[in-house]
């Protein structure tokens, strides 16, 4: 049964209006808090704009040696299951608050255990990790050039949207930069950018879609309106259609790009093919030789007012109390959130699912990764550096290499899985002393072990929506999960060979007309001795004939 999230903040008296625990959702596997335990083995870039750098069929078999993956992370740490019915108020229920406190205590215990039992990394492996951490950094000259090209296109696109007369709803868009480049964790090349276009929206209400554990929603207006958004409403004149907005965004971008010209010598921008479940309109910058230089994802989004509370499914998420602090969490959940036009993957979707929106906290992720320290002065000077971002870059690099090595088997894997495991690890190891630069090899191996543990248990809870399991089939098939588990284990056993630099190229074969190589010294010595012996024999016979 769908449930509608309340819109007004109110205060719930302790002990009243507490939701009752419901039976598990059919087809899901309750997961206890032990699946959350982490394994105990343990700069600045140019600005873009004014911002600082900021399958469908479920397999029946279960991988050997791993727990069966559950379809959701629905069971609370206390052993009681999360309620499926919304509370009449947006505040946390007593059951949810108790469960969160218990998980916080468990996180503190894991943090203490990891601090006391820091494993040693072999010198060769440690050197390899440090070398690769330096190699994945972006080139500043490339960053500046990429920033100029993206800024130029962004400014021209905004001018085009503000001046268009066909669709006035897109005239007042606001740009919100997001993604790994703005989080300063982009690796190798600055070739991928994300840009959210925030659309003006009146007060909204949302209903969680059944079976998606708080990730996808039906979004509607609270009351009928005559504003420009009415062109994108369904027949009930309240429900906002995600496909209609995305299609209109694509049409406008296509019209803009047909007349836009990049700076001289930069190449030309083209519109990529539409992907069924992607919320983005993707532009690609091509060179004259049809080589891809940059890609830019333009994502339309609905902004929910900061006066409206976050959905009920997020109440037990964002566990940063032992990392960033309770005050920081209170400030974060007061910020607005966004809906992007992305529908669930799969076939035979319901009409509501086809029109659904996915909740997005990309701006919160950017903020907590940029301001990542337990101390607010972390990484503000050369003596206060940490290795958190380096560990995330290394994990993203390893995931990228694994996907190159197993393109079909690990097709569902993406960098967001590594990012989620990274955020959970930061919550368990919140103190800055854990992440001192000298601990880079140890902390990266701990992060790798944490991702391996999630793969073995088949449970990777969404950082903001703990009820949604990123490793649940059919979105992440069990065969892919088994391959990931085996690949990570193999990398650890072999000393992370995917992190080592490529072997030097073999010497080129000499051309047949090239002069022969000089003889070794030993052969030169033998040749000289033979000549001297021959001369001596001839000299002896000459003397003999004279006499």
């Amino acid at each position: 049964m769908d449930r509608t999230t309340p819109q007004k903040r109110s205060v719930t008296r302790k002990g009243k209006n507490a939701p009752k625990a419901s039976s598990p959702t059919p087809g899901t596997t309750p997961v206890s808090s032990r699946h959350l335990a982490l394994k105990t083995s343990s700069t600045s870039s140019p600005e873009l704009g004014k911002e600082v750098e900021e399958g469908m069929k479920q397999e029946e078999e279960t991988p050997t040696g791993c727990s069966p993956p559950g379809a959701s992370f629905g069971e609370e740490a206390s052993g009681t299951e999360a309620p499926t019915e919304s509370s009449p108020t947006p505040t946390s229920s007593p059951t949810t608050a108790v469960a969160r406190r218990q998980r916080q205590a468990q996180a503190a215990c894991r943090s203490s255990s990891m601090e006391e039992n820091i494993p040693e990394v072999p010198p060769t492996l440690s050197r390899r990790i440090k070398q690769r951490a330096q190699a994945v950094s972006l080139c500043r000259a490339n960053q500046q050039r990429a920033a100029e090209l993206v800024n130029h296109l962004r400014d021209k696109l905004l001018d085009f949207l503000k001046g268009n007369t066909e669709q006035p709803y897109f005239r007042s868009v606001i740009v919100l930069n997001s993604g790994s480049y703005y989080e300063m964790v982009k690796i190798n090349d600055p070739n991928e950018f994300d840009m959210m276009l925030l659309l003006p929206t009146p007060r909204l209400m949302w209903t969680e879609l059944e079976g998606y554990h708080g990730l996808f929603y039906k979004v509607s207006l609270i009351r009928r309106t005559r504003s420009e958004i009415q062109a994108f409403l369904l027949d009930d004149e309240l429900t906002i259609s995600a496909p209609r907005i995305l299609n209109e965004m694509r049409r406008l971008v296509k019209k803009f790009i047909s007349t836009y010209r990049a700076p001289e010598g930069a190449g030309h921008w083209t519109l990529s093919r539409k992907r069924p479940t992607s919320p983005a309109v993707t532009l690609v910058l091509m060179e004259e030789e049809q080589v891809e230089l940059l890609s830019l994802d333009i994502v339309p989004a609905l902004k929910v007012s900061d006066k409206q509370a976050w959905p009920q499914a997020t109440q037990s998420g964002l566990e940063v109390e032992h990392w960033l602090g309770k005050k920081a969490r209170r400030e974060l959940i007061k910020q607005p959130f966004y809906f992007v036009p992305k529908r669930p993957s799969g076939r035979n979707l319901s009409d509501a699912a086809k029109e659904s929106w996915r909740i997005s906290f990309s701006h919160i992720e950017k903020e907590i990764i940029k301001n990542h320290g337990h101390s607010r002065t972390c990484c503000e000077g050369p003596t206060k550096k940490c290795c958190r971002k380096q560990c995330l870059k290394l994990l993203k690099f390893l995931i990228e290499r694994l996907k190159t090595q197993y393109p079909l088997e690990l097709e569902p894997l993406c960098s967001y899985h590594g990012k989620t495991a990274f955020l959970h690890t930061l919550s368990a190891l919140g103190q800055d002393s854990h992440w001192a630069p000298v601990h880079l090899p140890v902390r990266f191996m701990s992060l790798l072990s944490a991702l391996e543990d999630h793969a073995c248990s088949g449970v990777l809870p969404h950082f903001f929506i703990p009820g949604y399991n990123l490793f649940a089939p059919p979105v992440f098939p069990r065969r892919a999960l088994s391959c990931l588990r085996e690949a990570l284990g193999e990398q650890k056993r072999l000393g992370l060979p995917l992190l080592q630099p490529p072997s030097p190229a073999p010497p080129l074969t000499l051309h047949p007309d090239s002069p022969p190589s000089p003889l070794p010294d030993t052969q030169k010595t033998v040749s000289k001795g033979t000549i001297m012996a021959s001369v001596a024999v001839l000299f002896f016979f000459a003397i003999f004939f004279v006499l």
Side-chain angles (χ1 to χ4, degrees), residues 393-410:
K393 290 180 181 180
L394 286 170
L395 186 60
K396 292 177 63 176
F397 179 84
L398 183 61
I399 289 175
E400 192 176 274
R401 285 291 184 90
L402 287 174
K403 287 179 65 67
T404 303
Q405 190 171 17
Y406 306 102
L408 298 179
E409 297 87 345
L410 294 181

Side-chain angles (χ1 to χ4, degrees), residues 67 148 198 345 392 457 466 511:
S67 303
E148 292 173 359
L198 307 183
S345 59
L392 179 56
S457 67
H511 193 273

Side-chain angles (χ1 to χ4, degrees), residues 121-129:
V121 178
T124 303
L125 179 57
S126 177
R127 183 166 55 253
R128 179 174 299 172
I129 292 173

Side-chain angles (χ1 to χ4, degrees), residues 87-235:
S87 170
T89 63
T91 55
S92 301
S93 65
T95 303
T96 304
V98 171
R100 187 190 302 121
R101 286 196 295 269
Q102 291 180 352
R103 286 195 299 272
Q104 292 169 7
Q106 292 172 358
C109 293
R110 291 196 301 269
S111 174
S112 177
S113 177
M114 288 183 177
E115 185 178 11
E116 295 174 359
N117 301 282
I118 299 179
E120 292 189 6
V121 178
T124 303
L125 179 57
S126 177
R127 183 166 55 253
R128 179 174 299 172
I129 292 173
K130 292 178 180 179
Q131 290 175 348
R132 177 54 65 183
Q134 295 177 351
V136 297
S137 300
L138 300 180
C139 173
R140 179 170 292 275
N142 293 341
Q143 284 180 280
Q144 293 175 345
R145 179 57 175 166
E148 292 173 359
L149 295 174
V150 174
N151 282 343
H152 189 273
L153 181 137
R154 180 206 59 198
D155 295 341
K156 296 298 182 181
L157 175 61
L158 289 179
D159 292 340
F160 170 81
L161 293 176
K162 291 178 180 179
N164 92 90
T165 57
E166 299 180 22
Q167 189 44 258
Y169 182 54
F170 287 83
R171 290 178 183 172
S172 303
V173 295
I174 300 174
V175 173
L176 177 65
N177 295 319
S178 60
S180 60
Y181 181 87
Y182 302 97
E183 296 167 355
M184 295 183 287
V185 291
K186 187 74 180 72
I187 60 173
N188 297 331
D189 296 306
N191 55 3
E192 294 179 352
F193 296 85
D194 300 280
M195 182 172 68
M196 293 178 67
L197 295 183
L198 307 183
L199 301 170
T201 53
R203 195 173 180 86
L204 300 174
M205 61 182 295
W206 51 91
T207 303
E208 179 182 323
L209 291 189
E210 180 184 1
Y212 297 102
H213 313 287
L215 191 65
F216 294 94
Y217 293 83
K218 170 187 172 183
V219 181
S220 307
L221 303 178
I222 291 182
R223 60 182 60 88
R224 288 178 172 82
T225 181
R226 293 184 179 180
S227 61
E228 292 85 356
I229 197 175
Q230 65 179 344
F232 305 99
L233 301 179
L234 298 182
D235 293 340

Side-chain angles (χ1 to χ4, degrees), residues 5 16 38 65 79 82 102 151 210 219 294 301 318 334-335 366 379 418 431 469 516:
T5 303
K16 293 185 179 181
L38 297 173
Q102 291 180 352
N151 282 343
E210 180 184 1
V219 181
L294 298 174
L318 192 61
K334 290 179 181 178
Q335 295 192 26
K366 180 175 70 174
C379 291
Q431 296 297 324
N469 179 16

Side-chain angles (χ1 to χ4, degrees), residues 502-520:
S503 303
L508 298 176
T509 305
L510 292 175
H511 193 273
D513 297 334
S514 301
S517 302
L519 293 174

Side-chain angles (χ1 to χ4, degrees), residues 189-319:
D189 296 306
N191 55 3
E192 294 179 352
F193 296 85
D194 300 280
M195 182 172 68
M196 293 178 67
L197 295 183
L198 307 183
L199 301 170
T201 53
R203 195 173 180 86
L204 300 174
M205 61 182 295
W206 51 91
T207 303
E208 179 182 323
L209 291 189
E210 180 184 1
Y212 297 102
H213 313 287
L215 191 65
F216 294 94
Y217 293 83
K218 170 187 172 183
V219 181
S220 307
L221 303 178
I222 291 182
R223 60 182 60 88
R224 288 178 172 82
T225 181
R226 293 184 179 180
S227 61
E228 292 85 356
I229 197 175
Q230 65 179 344
F232 305 99
L233 301 179
L234 298 182
D235 293 340
D236 61 1
E237 299 182 357
L238 290 175
T239 304
I240 305 175
S241 172
R244 290 184 186 180
I245 285 186
L246 184 58
N247 290 337
E248 183 62 20
M249 181 82 260
R250 183 177 181 87
R251 188 188 69 81
L252 291 173
V253 171
K254 184 177 181 179
K255 183 177 180 180
F256 159 75
I257 210 66
S258 64
T259 58
Y260 171 76
R261 295 293 178 267
E264 185 177 356
H268 62 280
W269 289 91
T270 61
L271 185 65
S272 294
R273 294 180 59 183
K274 185 177 181 180
R275 292 170 290 178
T277 60
S278 173
V281 178
T282 302
L283 294 176
V284 177
L285 180 63
M286 308 290 290
E287 277 186 329
E288 300 301 331
E289 298 82 7
Q290 297 302 309
V291 177
E292 181 176 328
L293 296 179
L294 298 174
S295 68
L296 173 64
D297 284 345
I298 304 173
V299 183
L302 305 178
K303 179 181 178 180
V304 180
S305 171
D306 55 3
K307 297 179 181 179
Q308 297 181 259
W310 287 13
Q312 181 69 24
T314 66
Q315 295 302 308
S316 58
L318 192 61
E319 295 184 8

